[in-house]
Amino acid sequence: MTQGPLVSTKMTAADYRRHFPQIESGFNWERFAAERWPIERRVLTNREELLGFYTFFRSSLGRVMPRFLHWLASRQMRMAEVLEKLHRLPTEDRQSINYFLKLWSVSTEPISMDLPTYRFGETEHFIMDGNHRACAIALSGRPFRIELYSIAGPREPDALVDLASCK
């Protein structure tokens, strides 16, 4: 279930970069600006939909966030898989997720955040930044309101490196 259609915005590539300066994924900012990929916005409140988003967490041959040669055969994990294998995440990632869970546990308000995603296809999203916070929201069981800022770009490795391993 979606909360409504993605709506095109007047946001430019430069605006997007200013709004989300922490994005570190292998994103092709130059191509994004030159080709003027559309940016769409909408509100997400549905946990099941969030669980289907691809994260920056990777899995290979039974390992989560593998190193060295296992990295070559790795694939991006969807949020649901990350939550199932939370105990196998590196300690620093678990600590970050737990930090947000604890922070939000004292509030009675719905959790709110802006989330930058790269949308490829009709419904596939890759979370470009805020993965730990998004995982904590999904784990919390609390109501939330996520403002999605989705770049609608091509499914090509030179657009977003990690798209090659979203399978």
Side-chain angles (χ1 to χ4, degrees):
M1 175 177 123
T2 59
Q3 303 307 307
L6 287 161
V7 177
S8 292
T9 70
K10 296 187 188 297
M11 184 180 259
T12 66
D15 295 334
Y16 198 91
R17 195 165 203 171
R18 274 190 298 277
H19 194 75
F20 298 107
Q22 301 300 319
I23 292 175
E24 295 180 5
S25 61
F27 182 61
N28 191 331
W29 289 99
E30 293 76 26
R31 187 171 171 200
F32 171 39
E35 296 179 11
R36 297 184 177 150
W37 298 334
I39 301 166
E40 302 160 332
R41 286 179 58 186
R42 76 175 165 91
V43 172
L44 172 68
T45 59
N46 182 296
R47 182 178 184 272
E48 290 305 312
E49 186 177 352
L50 180 61
L51 291 175
F53 284 18
Y54 285 98
T55 68
F56 84 108
F57 295 105
R58 300 174 78 90
S59 177
S60 177
L61 304 173
R63 292 184 169 96
V64 175
M65 299 306 279
R67 305 214 189 282
F68 307 113
L69 293 178
H70 291 283
W71 188 258
L72 298 173
S74 69
R75 62 175 174 73
Q76 301 305 129
M77 296 170 67
R78 291 184 187 260
M79 174 90 55
E81 185 181 6
V82 172
L83 300 186
E84 287 172 11
K85 297 178 180 178
L86 191 64
H87 64 285
R88 295 175 55 202
L89 292 180
T91 302
E92 60 273 9
D93 292 307
R94 285 194 319 270
Q95 288 173 339
S96 181
I97 292 167
N98 286 329
Y99 167 81
F100 289 110
L101 277 170
K102 185 176 179 181
L103 180 70
W104 293 327
S105 70
V106 297
S107 174
T108 57
E109 297 295 316
I111 302 165
S112 181
M113 75 177 279
D114 290 352
L115 188 65
T117 67
Y118 187 90
R119 184 177 64 79
F120 53 98
E122 289 300 312
T123 60
E124 302 292 328
H125 288 266
F126 175 81
I127 300 172
M128 295 174 61
D129 185 46
N131 286 269
H132 296 100
R133 289 176 290 145
C135 285
I137 285 173
L139 276 171
S140 74
R142 304 229 1 256
F144 63 86
R145 182 184 190 283
I146 294 176
E147 184 82 26
L148 284 181
Y149 288 79
S150 301
I151 296 169
R155 187 179 188 139
E156 299 169 7
D158 73 328
L160 180 65
V161 172
D162 291 324
L163 281 182
S165 60
C166 288
K167 302 172 191 163

